[in-house]
Amino acid sequence: VQDLGLRYSLYNNFVDYAPVNALWDEDMVIRLPNGGWQQAWFRTYSAKPARAVKLSRQISKAAKHKFNPTAGGPDVHTAVRPYSRVDFDERMPGAGTMMTQFYSYGQLLLEQQEIWEGPTYSECHSGYYYSGLTTGSGACDGSSFDSQYWLVDFYLRKMQPISAHWSLGMGTRNDEGSDRYFARTIAYGMPGGYLGGWRQPFDRYSVRSYFMIQQLQSYYCKALIESIRYANSKGELLDVSAAIAQGAHKRFQLKLVYDNGLEIWVNGNKEETWKTPFAELPPSGYYAKLPDGELEVFSALKKGNRGDYVHSPVYDFIDGRGNWLETPIGGSDGQLIVLKKEDASLELIPHEAE
């Protein structure tokens, strides 16, 4: 795997502690205020956070020596809130306090990055507590708020500079679901995930999951946000305070500018088309570009039909979605991938194209 230039990680979990574990010890279980054991996942109990750090250090080092992974997947640690794993065992230092759990998990996540000599990614739900302590977590970005509003300021200004929380790929595998997923991922500046999870067949949505996001994310994930604006019904671009006062954030229409010059327009509105200076964006449409033309990405309307396009230093991509889409690099009614080789040659890969 490493000879292919790929980074791989080992799943690990120092939260859910099973009685069948070879290292099982009743004194390792979190105590509730009544002295009982705190239940975790099915058939498991919650391990004491203060002792989980030592176990992680011991087991992770052994796994690194044996398998040499270059990343880690400490599951659950950022999925639970710090106050949900409080240990009330009076024998433990800091008994009954939230900070004992928070500091323990934070130390565990930091140490694993050193042990694996690479990134660590945990689960989701409470990843914001641990931003900067872990490389990132899964972002539960398909929550109920997705149908109410998008407020991206907290993530882009506070979390994204110190962590990269990746999109879990929550979305239905059809055009509407995939478009929504891509638009939301780009609006929040997150690395993309595999649409619908990894247990999916290879199809047009697999191709889009990679090619529509991969090059674009390589630019916004390594940059800092400079400007966030929300469009109101008049097309005026407002900062977050004015947008909330007017209710413009509920229109889901954003303009983002990063410090590397990357400009992104996202229309998260589920009903209205948005005419921007560069493209007409259908519901869940988006447009991105760099000033020097090195990168251009869009999912927009062209001659009344929706089409997808990527121009980048690494590859070009066209998806006509069943209609002929003419672009500066070529045309296609289906998916066309143009890989750019180091010797300046091109490799063309058509998929579902005539």
Side-chain angles (χ1 to χ4, degrees), residues 128 130-136 155 157-165 224:
Y128 50 89
Y130 299 95
S131 291
L133 296 173
T134 183
T135 311
Y155 177 78
R157 296 194 185 278
K158 298 300 182 182
M159 295 173 63
Q160 192 262 3
I162 55 177
S163 288
H165 299 270
L224 296 176

Side-chain angles (χ1 to χ4, degrees), residues 212-259:
M212 289 305 294
I213 299 290
Q214 197 279 330
Q215 277 294 284
L216 179 55
Q217 73 181 15
S218 73
Y219 287 90
Y220 64 62
C221 285
K222 294 185 290 187
L224 296 176
I225 195 71
E226 270 192 355
S227 172
I228 302 172
R229 293 292 182 267
Y230 299 82
N232 63 14
S233 58
K234 299 178 181 179
E236 300 169 331
L237 298 174
L238 312 173
D239 64 23
V240 65
S241 297
I244 292 175
Q246 295 186 21
H249 63 301
K250 296 181 180 180
R251 294 182 56 80
F252 299 87
Q253 295 173 335
L254 299 95
K255 178 190 176 184
L256 310 171
V257 179
Y258 287 84
D259 64 0

Side-chain angles (χ1 to χ4, degrees), residues 223 226 257-264 289-291:
E226 270 192 355
V257 179
Y258 287 84
D259 64 0
N260 60 357
L262 180 64
E263 186 175 329
I264 300 177
K289 75 176 185 71
L290 283 171

Side-chain angles (χ1 to χ4, degrees), residues 6-135:
L6 301 177
R7 184 187 295 275
Y8 77 96
S9 70
L10 288 182
Y11 173 97
N12 60 90
N13 181 343
F14 295 93
V15 178
D16 303 334
Y17 188 41
V20 296
N21 193 306
L23 300 176
W24 172 258
D25 181 353
E26 292 183 3
D27 286 335
M28 266 286 292
V29 179
I30 286 179
R31 295 299 195 270
L32 299 171
N34 63 4
W37 296 356
Q38 184 181 59
Q39 189 170 354
W41 193 241
F42 299 111
R43 68 172 182 76
T44 66
Y45 298 92
S46 299
K48 290 183 181 301
R51 296 187 63 181
V53 178
K54 182 178 180 180
L55 278 177
S56 170
R57 190 179 301 148
Q58 172 188 342
I59 296 173
S60 298
K61 286 181 177 179
K64 174 66 175 179
H65 177 74
K66 186 173 184 179
F67 303 106
N68 194 31
T70 51
D75 197 19
V76 183
H77 295 83
T78 65
V80 293
R81 296 172 178 83
Y83 50 82
S84 70
R85 290 297 187 273
V86 175
D87 188 5
F88 291 89
D89 191 337
E90 70 277 6
R91 299 171 295 175
M92 298 300 296
T97 65
M98 180 186 79
M99 296 310 294
T100 299
Q101 185 266 346
F102 178 75
Y103 280 124
S104 296
Y105 284 3
Q107 181 68 24
L108 183 153
L109 294 167
L110 281 173
E111 284 191 4
Q112 283 209 10
Q113 293 175 73
E114 295 180 5
I115 294 170
W116 305 127
E117 300 178 287
T120 59
Y121 283 91
S122 191
E123 201 173 345
C124 64
H125 298 297
S126 299
Y128 50 89
Y129 288 107
Y130 299 95
S131 291
L133 296 173
T134 183
T135 311

